Amino acid sequence: QVQLVESGGNVVQPGASLRLSCAASGYTFRRYGMHWVRQAPGKGLEWVAVVWYDGSQKFYSESVKGRFTISRDDSKNTVYLQMNSLRADDTAVYYCARETEALVMGTLAFRYWGQGTLVTVSS
Amino acid sequence: DIQMTQSPSTLSASVGDRVTITCRASQSIGDWLAWYQQKPGTAPKFLIYKASRLEYGVPSRFSGSGSGTEFTLTISSLQPDDFATYYCQHYNSFWWTFGQGTKVEIK
């Protein structure tokens, strides 16, 4: 069965960097686009970033553009989120999510989600 | 940017009630809309895509409708397992936006 397992969350100070990982299993990883979505404590869901299945395109929300970088390593079945210049309002549970269909570029919802990893930015 | 607005923010209902949640887009989005259910401390669960297509394994009491700017999620007969927060989501090729969520509470 499909599994997505996030890791890398931690407590860091403002201005620090952190890299999140999402290890996928149970399907052919290279065929699917992958996303990061976050949820601040007590708040709603916020889409963060996407990397298309072939890695050719990456898009970001305005709130993280220029600070966060999404990448994928198909040899490790893993998607990453490099987060730089972290701010207090980046505090959230970060989920990775897989799109619904294989070999399609964008225009897809999220069928599978990981359990999330908590990032806390605080001095 | 397209904004997604859900109403109500909170809904109190009883087991067996018919429940309807509305999601409005700030401009036409065709039928590029999904719905998710989230329970406290857990990841969202995928329910509906393309506005009205039920995901495999989702009970048939859930249904979605709408196109353009107005969409609804309906639960025909609320069950104890359905008390949760529901999110709509617009998706396209390079942008994904969630509504702010609707919490369905026990009345």
Side-chain angles (χ1 to χ4, degrees):
Chain A
Q1 72 280 21
V2 173
Q3 277 199 310
L4 302 173
V5 179
E6 301 95 337
S7 60
N10 211 333
V11 179
V12 296
Q13 293 190 333
S17 297
L18 200 61
R19 189 179 81 157
L20 306 182
S21 301
C22 169
S25 61
Y27 70 99
T28 305
F29 178 75
R30 66 180 183 276
R31 294 165 62 93
Y32 290 85
M34 296 295 295
H35 296 251
W36 287 95
V37 176
R38 68 184 181 183
Q39 187 168 37
K43 303 297 184 182
L45 301 169
E46 179 189 12
W47 173 75
V48 173
V50 60
V51 57
W52 283 5
Y53 76 90
D54 63 355
S56 63
Q57 294 285 346
K58 304 172 184 179
F59 298 102
Y60 302 89
S61 68
E62 288 299 319
S63 59
V64 308
K65 195 176 293 183
R67 299 187 299 124
F68 290 11
T69 302
I70 190 171
S71 61
R72 62 188 298 152
D73 185 339
D74 291 348
S75 69
K76 296 182 178 179
N77 290 350
T78 299
V79 61
Y80 303 97
L81 187 68
Q82 177 67 44
M83 303 186 295
N84 298 331
S85 303
L86 282 162
R87 310 186 303 222
D89 62 358
D90 294 318
T91 294
V93 173
Y94 284 74
Y95 297 100
C96 65
R98 197 206 82 177
E99 293 183 340
T100 52
E101 296 179 34
L103 305 175
V104 175
M105 296 182 179
T107 321
L108 294 170
F110 308 157
R111 174 160 282 139
Y112 296 103
W113 297 66
Q115 84 291 348
T117 188
L118 177 61
V119 174
T120 302
V121 184
S122 174
S123 55
Chain B
D1 296 353
I2 297 174
Q3 308 297 323
M4 307 302 294
T5 303
Q6 291 182 231
S7 59
S9 296
T10 305
L11 187 161
S12 297
S14 301
V15 172
D17 285 352
R18 181 181 181 88
V19 166
T20 298
I21 298 168
T22 298
C23 178
R24 289 186 174 88
S26 58
Q27 61 190 77
S28 179
I29 60 170
D31 60 359
W32 299 112
L33 188 98
W35 290 96
Y36 300 85
Q37 175 195 68
Q38 188 181 33
K39 297 180 181 179
T42 69
K45 175 186 175 183
F46 181 46
L47 297 178
I48 286 170
Y49 64 106
K50 286 218 76 179
S52 62
R53 300 185 184 181
L54 203 64
E55 168 65 346
Y56 301 117
V58 174
S60 59
R61 64 181 179 272
F62 289 90
S63 63
S65 65
S67 67
T69 60
E70 188 154 332
F71 303 86
T72 59
L73 173 70
T74 300
I75 308 172
S76 61
S77 178
L78 198 66
Q79 297 302 300
D81 191 48
D82 302 337
F83 291 98
T85 299
Y86 294 84
Y87 294 92
C88 64
Q89 177 204 38
H90 164 51
Y91 53 98
N92 63 27
S93 294
F94 54 86
W95 192 262
W96 288 256
T97 307
F98 291 93
Q100 82 278 15
T102 295
K103 184 176 182 180
V104 177
E105 296 181 327
I106 300 173
K107 190 172 184 179

